[in-house]
């Protein structure tokens, strides 16, 4: 990776000052996913910001699993997350951590708070707990357990750890301020009982730290300098600071918040993505319509285009909605320069070149990538019977239609010849089934010796040489910009777009049959395609459309 990853932003200005003032001499960030799902494009923004910042300042970015919730976490997710981050182009080196490795220390810090009289065991039911918490404009009510002695609290905490109580029977709460206007400061829970096995610690623990208690400790243990998270954690920051101020830990990282990525036509919550999978609206986390990193990869997006997108949307403190068209633009822009071109016909109609001898065939030469001066070329077989796109023909075309349909009017077959339309053959029902044309042998390669011009150029394949390829055309998964917002009694499920996947059999030129898995190409005038790395086999590539081509060559 040679490019700049993140554009300069307010967090970098803070870092610049911290380095200048000597507050820090190195920059340490982290990416802390909870392993309860696959990564999505929103995570990619956070990954680019955290890893990109570390790269910019020659610091380090820790890869840390925030695995404090035993129930929803699975090893499959850990593996997929690491794979996706590597694929995105980032490297954590030796710095792979699990919050669960710190459980002993976290337990110790909770004991410390209890001993200091800054935490207590509370036996309120979850409903009572909520009821006591109150609303921002009115103070909450003290828990009746708030003044239990440290000795008594310690005993209860030990019993909690020993499995004496049931789930939910007790929680440990920080003793802060039941009148704080910030509800997160009203004696929040820091430890709870959860008799569940953990993917790394097994049955060692039946109590687990709450996110707010755990996260700042994880940051401090790892010596994080700038703990970057999304805006919804801004109101948690006083708690983050309170915990670190009240336990015996040297390091006190600072938390900075940025606006999360919201993308139109998309849902991003892991819970909703999981629902799409479980209810079989999509085929798993890597379905090419999913906004997951695995899905985008399977669709054919490059890591560089995702990084570029994340860079362009920028890092700010303002909530906004990004346009999925920008993501599409980024991959188009890259593939326009890098991808080889081939010819494929998605909706074929046969063309017979009447003046081309029946048994003749010849090889024409195509430039693979016209954007590359040193591009390789390929051989394209030509014969009397071809396929072209059905919509390159029009019965009774208007004058400005420069393709097939008007008798005598010529069109250029890309890299081949000028052909002139003669007539359309119909079946009994009146459907056009074949086009009859003639070619001009003097126009080989697609150029006329006499400078006569044709306005239209179309792609084609030789019927007997073409390969029948499976093509999967993907569209947006949802039919409206904000499927997340429940309105008119509709949920995001009601907004699934029914044509988000169309599968068809296309005719492609033989050279495209040899493409290996993961190749990214352009089918001329159609779009950018990816040779699916799972379903393709040798000499039988399956093509996923990454994005359609917006601007076609004429
Ligand atoms: P979800 O709410 O979908 O479960 P999450 O935020 O809980 O997502 P985590 O695994 O906790 O998921 O996220 C890991 C990191 O990625 C966090 O630092 C979080 O702030 C960041 N992140 C998650 N979603 C986005 C987003 N849409 N834009 C930017 N950063 C995000
Ligand atoms: Mg989270």
């Amino acid at each position: 990776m040679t490019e700049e990853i993140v554009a300069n932003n307010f967090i970098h200005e803070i870092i610049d000052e911290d380095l200048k003032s000597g507050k820090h001499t190195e920059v340490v960030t982290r990416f802390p996913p909870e392993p309860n799902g696959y990564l999505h494009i929103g995570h990619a923004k956070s990954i680019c910001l955290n890893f990109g910042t570390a790269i910019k300042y020659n610091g380090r970015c820790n890869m840390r699993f925030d695995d404090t919730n035993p129930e929803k976490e699975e090893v499959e997710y850990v593996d997929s997350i690491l794979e996706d981050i590597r694929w995105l182009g980032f490297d954590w080196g030796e710095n792979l951590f699990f919050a669960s490795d710190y459980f002993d220390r976290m337990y110790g810090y909770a004991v410390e708070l209890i001993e200091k009289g800054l935490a207590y065991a509370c036996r309120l039911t979850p409903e009572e707990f909520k009821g006591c918490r109150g609303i921002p404009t009115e103070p909450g009510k003290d828990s009746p357990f708030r003044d239990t002695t440290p000795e008594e609290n310690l005993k209860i905490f030990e019993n909690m750890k020993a499995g004496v109580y049931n789930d939910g029977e007790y929680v440990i709460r920080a003793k802060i301020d039941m009148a704080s206007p910030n509800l997160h400061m009203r004696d929040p829970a820091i430890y709870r009982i959860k008799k569940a096995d953990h993917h790394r610690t097994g049955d060692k623990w039946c109590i687990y730290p709450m996110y707010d208690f755990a996260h700042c400790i994880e940051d401090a243990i790892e010596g994080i300098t700038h703990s970057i998270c999304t805006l919804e954690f801004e109101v948690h920051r006083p708690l983050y600071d309170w915990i670190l101020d009240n336990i015996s830990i040297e390091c006190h990282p600072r938390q900075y918040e940025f606006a999360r990525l919201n993308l139109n036509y998309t849902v991003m919550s892991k819970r909703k993505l999981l629902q799409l999978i479980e209810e079989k609206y999509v085929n798993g986390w890597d379905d090419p319509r999913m906004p997951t990193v695995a899905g985008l990869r399977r669709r054919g997006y490059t890591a560089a285009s995702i990084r570029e997108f994340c860079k362009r949307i920028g890092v700010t403190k303002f909530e906004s909605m990004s346009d999925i068209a920008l993501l599409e633009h980024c991959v188009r822009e890259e593939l326009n320069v890098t991808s080889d071109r081939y010819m494929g016909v998605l909706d074929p109609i046969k063309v017979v070149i009447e003046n081309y001898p029946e048994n003749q065939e010849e090889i024409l030469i195509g430039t693979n990538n016209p954007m590359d001066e040193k591009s390789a070329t390929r051989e394209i077989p030509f014969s009397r019977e071809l396929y072209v796109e059905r919509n390159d023909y029009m019965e009774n075309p208007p004058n400005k239609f420069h393709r097939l349909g008007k008798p005598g009017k010529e069109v250029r077959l890309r890299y081949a010849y000028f052909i002139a339309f003669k007539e359309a053959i119909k079946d009994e029902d009146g459907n056009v089934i074949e086009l009859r044309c003639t070619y001009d042998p003097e126009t080989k390669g697609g150029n006329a010796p006499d400078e006569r011009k044709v306005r239209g150029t179309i792609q084609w394949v030789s019927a007997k040489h073409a390969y029948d390829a499976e093509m999967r055309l993907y569209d947006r998964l949802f039919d409206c910009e904000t499927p997340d917002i429940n309105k008119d009694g509709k949920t995001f499920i009601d907004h699934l777009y029914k044509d988000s996947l169309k599968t068809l059999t296309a005719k492609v030129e033989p050279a495209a049959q040899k493409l290996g898995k993961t190749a990214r190409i352009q089918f001329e005038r159609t779009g950018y395609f990816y040779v699916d790395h799972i379903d393709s086999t040798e000499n039988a590539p399956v093509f996923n459309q990454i994005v359609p081509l917006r601007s076609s060559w004429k």
Side-chain angles (χ1 to χ4, degrees), residues 126-140:
E127 294 72 39
E128 289 167 335
F129 183 116
K130 251 198 216 132
C132 288
R133 219 157 72 129
I135 52 170
T137 46
E138 283 168 30

Side-chain angles (χ1 to χ4, degrees), residues 239-391:
L239 179 54
Y240 184 105
D241 290 331
W242 184 92
I243 292 164
L244 293 183
D245 284 341
N246 286 290
I247 61 174
S248 307
I249 200 161
E250 302 269 295
C251 177
H252 189 137
R254 293 293 156 188
Q255 176 183 301
Y256 300 97
E257 307 86 14
F258 70 103
R260 67 194 293 118
L261 168 67
N262 299 304
L263 200 56
N264 59 6
Y265 298 101
T266 309
V267 300
M268 214 114 72
S269 118
K270 281 182 265 186
R271 184 182 59 74
K272 288 179 180 160
L273 295 177
L274 188 61
Q275 188 181 341
L276 292 174
I277 296 163
E278 285 178 340
E279 296 177 11
K280 301 214 174 352
Y281 294 109
V282 296
N283 304 312
W285 288 100
D286 72 344
D287 187 299
R289 293 164 291 182
M290 290 282 268
T292 51
V293 174
L296 293 167
R297 173 163 81 229
R298 181 100 193 257
R299 174 88 160 248
Y301 273 87
T302 61
S305 65
I306 295 173
R307 293 196 301 266
E308 180 64 22
F309 169 72
C310 292
K311 181 168 146 184
R312 290 202 197 172
I313 54 177
V315 176
T316 70
K317 272 194 115 39
F318 308 102
E319 285 292 351
S320 65
M321 176 74 79
S322 295
D323 192 342
I324 197 165
L326 180 62
L327 178 62
E328 294 167 350
H329 172 78
C330 288
V331 77
R332 252 188 219 113
E333 195 173 62
E334 177 184 337
L335 295 180
N336 178 43
V337 176
T338 58
S339 71
D340 284 346
R341 273 65 166 166
Y342 291 89
M343 292 196 287
V345 175
L346 275 55
D347 183 14
I349 185 165
K350 188 171 269 187
V351 169
V352 177
I353 313 288
E354 290 189 339
N355 59 339
Y356 197 88
E358 296 255 358
N359 294 317
Q360 186 171 314
E361 51 183 76
E362 65 186 296
I363 296 292
L364 300 164
I365 302 298
T367 304
N368 289 356
N369 183 353
M371 299 294 283
D372 177 3
E373 279 170 19
K374 293 188 240 87
S375 168
T377 56
R378 68 185 188 285
E379 299 188 338
I380 313 170
F382 185 86
S383 63
R384 180 181 157 90
E385 295 197 355
L386 315 170
Y387 290 111
V388 302
E389 290 289 350
R390 190 168 284 274
N391 65 12

Side-chain angles (χ1 to χ4, degrees), residues 127-160:
E127 294 72 39
E128 289 167 335
F129 183 116
K130 251 198 216 132
C132 288
R133 219 157 72 129
I135 52 170
T137 46
E138 283 168 30
K141 278 200 285 296
D142 282 2
S143 158
F145 306 98
R146 203 168 195 257
D147 294 320
T148 314
T149 62
E151 293 70 32
E152 185 63 19
N153 283 322
L154 268 184
K155 234 181 279 158
I156 299 171
F157 193 35
E158 271 161 32
N159 284 340
M160 283 168 67

Side-chain angles (χ1 to χ4, degrees), residues 34 211 233 270:
E34 186 181 347
Y211 175 88
F233 290 100
K270 281 182 265 186

Side-chain angles (χ1 to χ4, degrees), residues 30-36 39-47 50 66 81 211 215 228-230 232-233 258-262 268-271 273:
R30 85 286 173 265
F31 176 66
E34 186 181 347
N36 62 349
L39 297 180
H40 53 57
I41 180 86
H43 293 118
K45 176 177 180 178
S46 175
I47 291 166
N50 280 295
D66 205 339
I81 288 170
Y211 175 88
H215 201 84
I228 305 171
C229 62
T230 41
E232 64 274 21
F233 290 100
F258 70 103
R260 67 194 293 118
L261 168 67
N262 299 304
M268 214 114 72
S269 118
K270 281 182 265 186
R271 184 182 59 74
L273 295 177

Side-chain angles (χ1 to χ4, degrees), residues 143-262:
S143 158
F145 306 98
R146 203 168 195 257
D147 294 320
T148 314
T149 62
E151 293 70 32
E152 185 63 19
N153 283 322
L154 268 184
K155 234 181 279 158
I156 299 171
F157 193 35
E158 271 161 32
N159 284 340
M160 283 168 67
K161 182 174 177 241
V164 172
Y165 313 115
N166 296 325
D167 286 10
E169 214 174 316
Y170 269 108
V171 292
I172 301 295
R173 297 174 69 175
K175 191 170 175 177
I176 308 181
D177 178 7
M178 287 308 289
S180 170
N182 182 342
L183 293 187
H184 296 284
M185 298 298 274
R186 293 187 183 174
D187 293 10
I190 62 170
Y191 253 96
R192 61 178 170 159
I193 303 167
K194 190 125 239 178
K195 293 189 171 161
D197 279 5
H198 184 280
H199 74 120
R200 283 176 66 88
T201 58
D203 62 3
K204 177 175 175 193
W205 298 92
C206 62
I207 52 170
Y208 292 93
M210 303 297 288
Y211 175 88
D212 281 326
F213 180 68
H215 201 84
C216 54
I217 294 175
E218 294 157 23
D219 283 346
I221 289 174
E222 293 176 14
I224 303 301
T225 54
H226 300 82
S227 174
I228 305 171
C229 62
T230 41
L231 275 180
E232 64 274 21
F233 290 100
E234 193 164 14
V235 285
H236 298 239
R237 189 176 353 122
L239 179 54
Y240 184 105
D241 290 331
W242 184 92
I243 292 164
L244 293 183
D245 284 341
N246 286 290
I247 61 174
S248 307
I249 200 161
E250 302 269 295
C251 177
H252 189 137
R254 293 293 156 188
Q255 176 183 301
Y256 300 97
E257 307 86 14
F258 70 103
R260 67 194 293 118
L261 168 67
N262 299 304

